[in-house]
Amino acid sequence: MADDMKVSVGDMLLTLTGNVSDARKRLSDLENQKLKELLEGLAHKVGEHKEQLAAITEAFAALQAEPEPEPEPDWPGVSPNWTDDIDQDQARELWDWLTKWCHNILWPIYAQDVWKPCWYRHTRVRIVLTALRGAHQWSYETTKVPPTRAMEWEFRWLREAKQLLKEELKDCGLPRDDLKKPKHPVPVPVQSTPENPNPAPPAFTIEDFTDPGFFEYMERNIAKRREPDKETD
């Protein structure tokens, strides 16, 4: 009887030992499986972060490669209205900025066929020419601009401006231009006579850039503006 009990207890111990060993193996396998899944998940997340970091790096490099935006052109305004409340200094700068360009570029190269020396007396003409001058600077005097910008100035804005010049100046000129009473008449040259074979030439002709009243008109236009704001410390 005692021997049977010893055998039975021994079998139970063996069985228990086997079960414990099996349980440990299963636990180890389970832990290894969870660790494997955890590592795989971590590797996946690391891969995602690598892709995101690569995308951010690429985007940053692209931003660095892009040219810096063009600075705003240095002109008195894109298209300032001559009826705006500009002060005397601003008005003088605007007159100088527009007149130099008209005299050196617009008039001799593009607009002699529609130009008249009284152009500066017409407010609407000055407004449109100011816009045209701004568009020309934006098209030709800034860097890294598409060629279409210059083409648009040549074949759109210039053409429209010349049409306006024709319309606005149609009543200015010589009486012989079918104008009974020209709005801004141009003096007719005096014909030579035996008594006066070499008469003095007129003060200006229809082909001149401006008539002699230009500077006086400009100074009056500037003088009627408000005084510049005084700087305060």
Side-chain angles (χ1 to χ4, degrees):
M1 185 69 177
D3 293 336
D4 293 339
M5 290 181 64
K6 288 180 179 179
V7 172
S8 178
V9 171
D11 291 341
M12 291 175 63
L13 288 173
L14 288 173
T15 301
L16 180 60
T17 301
N19 290 340
V20 170
S21 177
D22 184 59
R24 285 178 176 175
K25 183 177 182 303
R26 291 183 179 181
L27 180 61
S28 177
D29 292 342
L30 182 61
E31 288 177 345
N32 290 337
Q33 180 65 28
K34 287 184 177 180
L35 179 60
K36 181 180 179 181
E37 292 176 355
L38 180 62
L39 290 175
E40 289 177 350
L42 182 61
H44 180 70
K45 290 183 178 179
V46 170
E48 289 182 344
H49 289 319
K50 284 184 177 179
E51 292 179 358
Q52 293 175 357
L53 180 60
I56 293 173
T57 303
E58 184 179 353
F60 183 72
L63 287 174
Q64 287 185 319
E66 290 181 358
E68 295 183 0
E70 286 288 335
E72 288 295 323
D74 184 18
W75 62 54
V78 175
S79 181
N81 191 325
W82 285 80
T83 61
D84 285 346
D85 182 28
I86 57 178
D87 64 33
Q88 293 175 356
D89 288 348
Q90 292 169 332
R92 187 174 298 280
E93 182 183 6
L94 185 56
W95 274 106
D96 183 67
W97 177 78
L98 175 63
T99 304
K100 284 183 177 178
W101 177 77
C102 287
H103 183 262
N104 296 325
I105 295 178
L106 182 64
W107 173 61
I109 299 174
Y110 297 101
Q112 282 194 0
D113 58 326
V114 295
W115 200 263
K116 291 187 178 178
C118 60
W119 63 272
Y120 63 90
R121 300 176 184 268
H122 299 260
T123 302
R124 190 178 178 209
V125 169
R126 295 201 310 272
I127 292 172
V128 171
L129 292 183
T130 300
L132 188 67
R133 195 270 180 269
H136 184 274
Q137 181 165 338
W138 189 249
S139 302
Y140 284 98
E141 300 175 38
T142 54
T143 59
K144 299 179 182 179
V145 297
T148 51
R149 187 178 291 172
M151 292 296 288
E152 185 176 20
W153 187 90
E154 294 279 349
F155 292 100
R156 182 179 181 184
W157 305 125
L158 174 63
R159 182 172 56 187
E160 295 294 333
K162 290 182 68 173
Q163 186 60 40
L164 178 126
L165 280 170
K166 289 181 182 179
E167 180 65 25
E168 288 291 313
L169 304 178
K170 65 182 180 181
D171 294 329
C172 309
L174 297 167
R176 66 171 179 240
D177 297 328
D178 295 327
L179 299 173
K180 294 182 179 179
K181 294 182 178 181
K183 186 174 182 180
H184 303 300
V186 178
V188 178
V190 176
Q191 299 297 317
S192 62
T193 63
E195 294 79 15
N196 185 16
N198 297 305
F204 67 100
T205 69
I206 198 70
E207 288 81 19
D208 288 341
F209 175 64
T210 62
D211 61 43
F214 170 74
F215 290 104
E216 181 182 353
Y217 183 97
M218 181 185 70
E219 291 300 329
R220 288 202 310 269
N221 182 274
I222 294 172
K224 71 180 182 181
R225 309 282 181 175
R226 62 181 174 83
E227 294 185 1
D229 297 331
K230 295 181 178 179
E231 296 182 1
T232 55
D233 295 334

